[in-house]
Structures are given as structure tokens and as C-alpha cells.
Amino acid sequence: MKIHAHLTQRAIIDSQNLLWVDSPIPNIQRRMLERNGEEVARATSLVRYAPGSTFSTHTHGGGEEFFVLEGTFSDENGDYPAGTYVRNPVGSTHTPSSREGCIIFVKLWQMSSTDQKRVVIQTSDHPWLPGLVNGLQVMPLHSHGTENVALVKWKPGTVFQRHSHFGGEEIYVLNGVFEDELGTYPQGTWIRNPHGSVHTPFSQEGCVIYVKTGHLQEKLPN
């Protein structure tokens, strides 16, 4: 299965327009944003757990990164309420579940084998730092090699300078409306800007976005 599988191409999906598709596990559904492979695949998805659902025990051969959008996600290591950012490194194993139900934004098979740090951050309790322009705040979540992951908060009317993306950029709009000269992206929009792409982002309304940069070159260093 290939969905936006060519990493050198720009991709934009308003996830709210996608249907929920049943996974092989009962009561767990997906909205597929990016996929290259079958059930074991490089994938970026939204995953919805019905209340009381449990996923079978599994090992992450290529690592797992997720952000809890709604509800509470759980495994044997703890509970992760909305706003929690988690990285489970290559080779990690767990048994996910959700008592109340949840929706997570999840990325699979996209980690370097040298990135073995498990990360759990409850972003509601984590500090914001000043951004590079007035009206912008940044919450760094993870960094390894050229890859950087952060939340970025835009006050209404904020404009960032025109810039290029070494190693590409991925954005998921958590709330509000993100914009650039190419379009307008409401909450739930996933954007992939490839290596070398250029834009001038801004937000008239204000927004919070998940941003990952530096990970979409053809050959990234470990």
C-alpha cells in the first residue's frame, strides 16, 4: 500500500475529510496520511481507540512516535492524557489500550536505530520558549541528528520569515489555522514539505502546530 509515499513530493491532507478505516484489531480505526507498506509499514496516521479497546502486544521494529490528541492512551508503562508526546525507540515492546477511548497522531518506522531515548512529555505542563519572531513560542520535544520535533504556538497575526527546509518539514495543525502563500490549513491538516522547499508561513487567526524538521532527505545520517 502506498499513500503519499514519495518523500520528495509535497503532500497536504485535511484529515477531517478522511473516513475512519477499520484496523485488523477490533474497535481500533485509522485515518491514513502517509503509508509505504502493508501492516508493517512506514506510516503516519491518526488512530482512534474505542472505549475499552486493547491492541495486541507488539514490538516497534522501526520505532514509534505519537501525540495524544483526545482522551487517554495507556500501556503497561502508564497513562498518557491528551497533550502527551511519546517516543518508543526501535525494538521497544508494549500493549496499548484505552479505557475511555482516545485519538492519537502516530508515526511508525521513522526512527534511526541510534536514537534509543524514550521520551514522554506532558506538554500542558512543559514550558514554552520565545520563538525567532514576535508572536511565536516554541516547545522543543526531541532532537537527534538533523531531526528536530517541537510544538509551535502562533499568536494571531504572526508572520515568519521566508525560509527553506533542509531535510524537509512535517506539520500537523493541532488547533487554529496555519497558513502560507500556498494555502490555508485548519485544525487536523497534515502537511509535508520536502527537502529544499521554501515558504513564508503565517497565521491570521493563531494556531498551535506539531512540527518535525530535518528528517526527509534521501539519505539522512544516523
Side-chain angles (χ1 to χ4, degrees):
M1 182 184 297
K2 291 185 181 292
I3 301 172
H4 295 295
H6 299 293
L7 303 184
T8 59
Q9 297 178 0
R10 189 169 192 258
I12 305 168
I13 299 178
D14 184 347
S15 67
Q16 298 180 90
N17 293 329
L18 296 179
L19 296 175
W20 289 103
V21 178
D22 290 338
S23 79
I25 306 297
N27 301 315
I28 297 175
Q29 297 176 305
R30 300 177 291 202
R31 285 173 167 168
M32 300 180 187
L33 305 174
E34 171 193 64
R35 195 170 191 90
N36 191 351
E38 299 306 320
E39 278 310 307
V40 177
R42 175 194 168 93
T44 301
S45 311
L46 299 183
V47 179
R48 181 170 68 180
Y49 285 68
S53 56
T54 299
F55 203 95
S56 53
T57 302
H58 58 279
T59 299
H60 292 295
E64 173 191 58
E65 173 190 11
F66 65 87
F67 188 90
V68 184
L69 300 172
E70 298 178 19
T72 300
F73 178 88
S74 301
D75 62 16
E76 60 269 44
N77 299 307
D79 297 323
Y80 313 102
T84 307
Y85 173 76
V86 178
R87 293 179 70 92
N88 291 317
V90 173
S92 58
T93 299
H94 70 160
T95 307
S97 62
S98 183
R99 290 183 296 275
E100 67 180 72
C102 68
I103 298 176
I104 62 174
F105 170 75
V106 60
K107 300 179 71 63
L108 301 173
W109 283 89
Q110 298 179 44
M111 283 187 190
S112 166
S113 60
T114 64
D115 187 1
Q116 284 296 303
K117 181 181 179 181
R118 185 171 190 263
V119 176
V120 179
I121 297 174
Q122 176 45 260
T123 61
S124 63
D125 301 329
H126 213 60
W128 290 96
L129 304 177
L132 294 176
V133 300
N134 290 335
L136 211 63
Q137 292 180 293
V138 179
M139 184 186 297
L141 299 175
H142 186 69
S143 180
H144 179 81
T146 61
E147 176 185 322
N148 291 282
V149 185
L151 299 187
V152 182
K153 183 189 294 184
W154 299 67
K155 286 186 178 179
T158 301
V159 178
F160 198 77
Q161 62 262 33
R162 187 168 178 81
H163 62 281
S164 62
H165 298 119
F166 176 85
E169 173 188 63
E170 268 185 84
I171 292 170
Y172 184 81
V173 183
L174 296 171
N175 62 57
V177 179
F178 177 76
E179 299 169 86
D180 62 14
E181 67 271 38
L182 303 172
T184 298
Y185 317 106
Q187 178 177 335
T189 304
W190 174 76
I191 307 160
R192 186 182 67 212
N193 292 315
H195 174 60
S197 57
V198 178
H199 72 159
T200 306
F202 60 95
S203 180
Q204 298 182 71
E205 177 181 313
C207 62
V208 177
I209 59 175
Y210 156 97
V211 181
K212 180 195 282 270
T213 60
H215 63 301
L216 295 174
Q217 284 178 268
E218 285 296 313
K219 293 183 179 180
L220 286 173
N222 286 333

